[in-house]
Amino acid sequence: MHRLKESTLERAHALDRFLAGIERRAFRMAEFATGNRDDALDLVQEAMMKLATSYGHRSEQEWAPLFHRILHSRINDWHRRSRVRNRFRAWLGGGKHADEGDAPVDPMQTAVDRRQPDSVRQLQQADAMTTLHAGLRSLPLRQQQAFLLRSWEGLDVADTALAMGCSEGSVKTHYSRAVHRLRDLLGEHWP
Amino acid sequence: MSTDTNKAFVEKIRQQLEQHAGTVDDATTARLAAARKGALARQARPARHWLPLTGLAAAAAVLLAVLLVHQTPAPDRGWDPLLAQDDIDLIEELDFYAWLEATQSNS
């Protein structure tokens, strides 16, 4: 009984470490996908809750692809809902952003604060991030997901396919197109 | 475009994204931490295996009640047999009464 309690506690600590390690990247990914901080936070929170309650007992190696599967499924749902909402707004005559992936970006979130007495290097980095942010936001959702999961989260093709709920071939296609598109958008000399 | 060039390009983006993740503001960090704690607390809560069973039992009871209500025979007309019999006779011979009324109005 004591050992069982200890083992449960250890798993809880492991899950805490896993979530703590992934939460900021997950938040940024959701933010790239939605363009909205609060929605991104909600989506990450839902994914954490679902992973902990439904998949916490699974092996630790499975957590990353499962977490992203949940998160990206929620992101896809979010896009579906906003498409419907935007169409409805368009019918009512007030829609300005009816297309997928064109959710308005808060300029305050992406603007570089030039008042800070930063070095030129820091300003260049902020500019580079602004450009990258715009580039990532301009990618179709599936390309954006494949690129971020493969290049940033470090998932292999099989785990990315699991997370995205598609075939490995599709992952390769989305990833390759994303890299080429970003190259075109950011240019040879970025950052 | 060579694979190495692509790798270097992707690596630059990865580094940029890592820096970006490190700049999450304090309020957001606090909300993320709270969400994590909430998820762990929910996981630690003992599973309520009886909940689905209770729901199933309630649904079965409702179904049974509905079936019983629908199978109950129509109320016995015995409470006022004369009046009830008159009503039935009227309905059964409605055509006759219609004809009678038409005949009387013609004459």
Side-chain angles (χ1 to χ4, degrees), chain A residues 54-90:
Chain A
S54 301
Y55 302 103
H57 62 282
R58 300 280 275 266
S59 74
E60 290 181 37
Q61 286 74 28
E62 290 179 274
W63 284 345
L66 282 171
F67 176 81
H68 283 291
R69 170 97 194 211
I70 300 163
L71 178 65
H72 289 278
S73 163
R74 296 282 194 278
I75 288 172
N76 292 342
D77 289 344
W78 184 94
H79 272 272
R80 264 182 229 120
R81 281 198 306 273
S82 44
R83 256 204 310 268
V84 171
R85 204 167 45 232
N86 287 338
R87 271 186 206 147
F88 188 67
R89 278 183 194 156

Side-chain angles (χ1 to χ4, degrees), chain A:
Chain A
M1 186 69 184
H2 182 69
R3 284 186 68 180
L4 183 70
K5 205 172 176 182
E6 226 171 48
S7 155
T8 311
L9 207 62
E10 271 173 26
R11 279 194 79 75
H13 281 310
L15 189 58
D16 188 28
R17 276 196 305 275
F18 167 77
L19 291 175
I22 209 170
E23 64 191 16
R24 287 175 184 224
R25 291 195 303 276
F27 165 69
R28 287 300 193 200
M29 281 185 198
E31 198 182 33
F32 284 134
T34 61
N36 184 298
R37 173 184 171 272
D38 288 329
D39 286 349
L41 272 167
D42 288 345
L43 292 170
V44 173
Q45 182 175 10
E46 285 173 25
M48 283 179 173
M49 197 69 82
K50 181 74 180 167
L51 182 82
T53 52
S54 301
Y55 302 103
H57 62 282
R58 300 280 275 266
S59 74
E60 290 181 37
Q61 286 74 28
E62 290 179 274
W63 284 345
L66 282 171
F67 176 81
H68 283 291
R69 170 97 194 211
I70 300 163
L71 178 65
H72 289 278
S73 163
R74 296 282 194 278
I75 288 172
N76 292 342
D77 289 344
W78 184 94
H79 272 272
R80 264 182 229 120
R81 281 198 306 273
S82 44
R83 256 204 310 268
V84 171
R85 204 167 45 232
N86 287 338
R87 271 186 206 147
F88 188 67
R89 278 183 194 156
W91 285 337
L92 292 175
K96 290 177 183 174
H97 303 280
D99 296 325
E100 183 192 351
D102 281 349
V105 179
D106 181 359
M108 292 304 288
Q109 287 186 354
T110 53
V112 180
D113 187 357
R114 294 176 189 280
R115 291 170 305 170
Q116 293 175 349
D118 286 338
S119 67
V120 174
R121 175 73 187 144
Q122 279 174 311
L123 276 175
Q124 280 174 342
Q125 276 188 349
D127 280 340
M129 190 58 230
T130 306
T131 314
L132 176 58
H133 187 278
L136 285 169
R137 293 269 300 131
S138 76
L139 291 178
L141 183 62
R142 303 296 275 169
Q143 287 183 26
Q144 187 193 89
Q145 289 174 334
F147 181 79
L148 291 174
L149 289 171
R150 292 277 291 117
S151 67
W152 194 15
E153 201 54 45
L155 297 187
D156 61 21
V157 175
D159 281 348
T160 306
L162 175 70
M164 290 178 63
C166 63
S167 69
E168 294 184 17
S170 295
V171 169
K172 288 177 187 170
T173 307
H174 288 313
Y175 179 76
S176 169
R177 285 181 183 162
V179 172
H180 282 94
R181 182 94 190 266
L182 285 172
R183 263 197 171 287
D184 290 343
L185 290 168
L186 302 179
E188 287 298 315
H189 303 291
W190 180 89

Side-chain angles (χ1 to χ4, degrees), chain B residues 20-98:
Chain B
H20 186 49
T23 60
V24 172
D25 62 87
D26 291 344
T28 304
T29 305
R31 278 186 64 181
L32 286 170
R36 175 163 35 94
K37 299 294 176 203
L40 290 166
R42 179 73 72 87
Q43 187 206 21
R45 217 176 286 170
R48 294 177 176 177
H49 295 299
W50 51 268
L51 264 181
L53 287 176
T54 310
L56 202 64
V62 169
L63 187 68
L64 192 65
V66 169
L67 285 174
L68 283 174
V69 164
H70 281 283
Q71 281 183 353
T72 304
D76 193 359
R77 293 189 296 265
W79 60 278
D80 191 349
L82 290 174
L83 180 65
Q85 195 56 47
D86 285 346
D87 287 345
I88 289 170
D89 289 343
L90 177 70
I91 291 166
E92 282 176 351
E93 296 188 24
L94 203 57
D95 290 339
F96 167 72
Y97 287 113

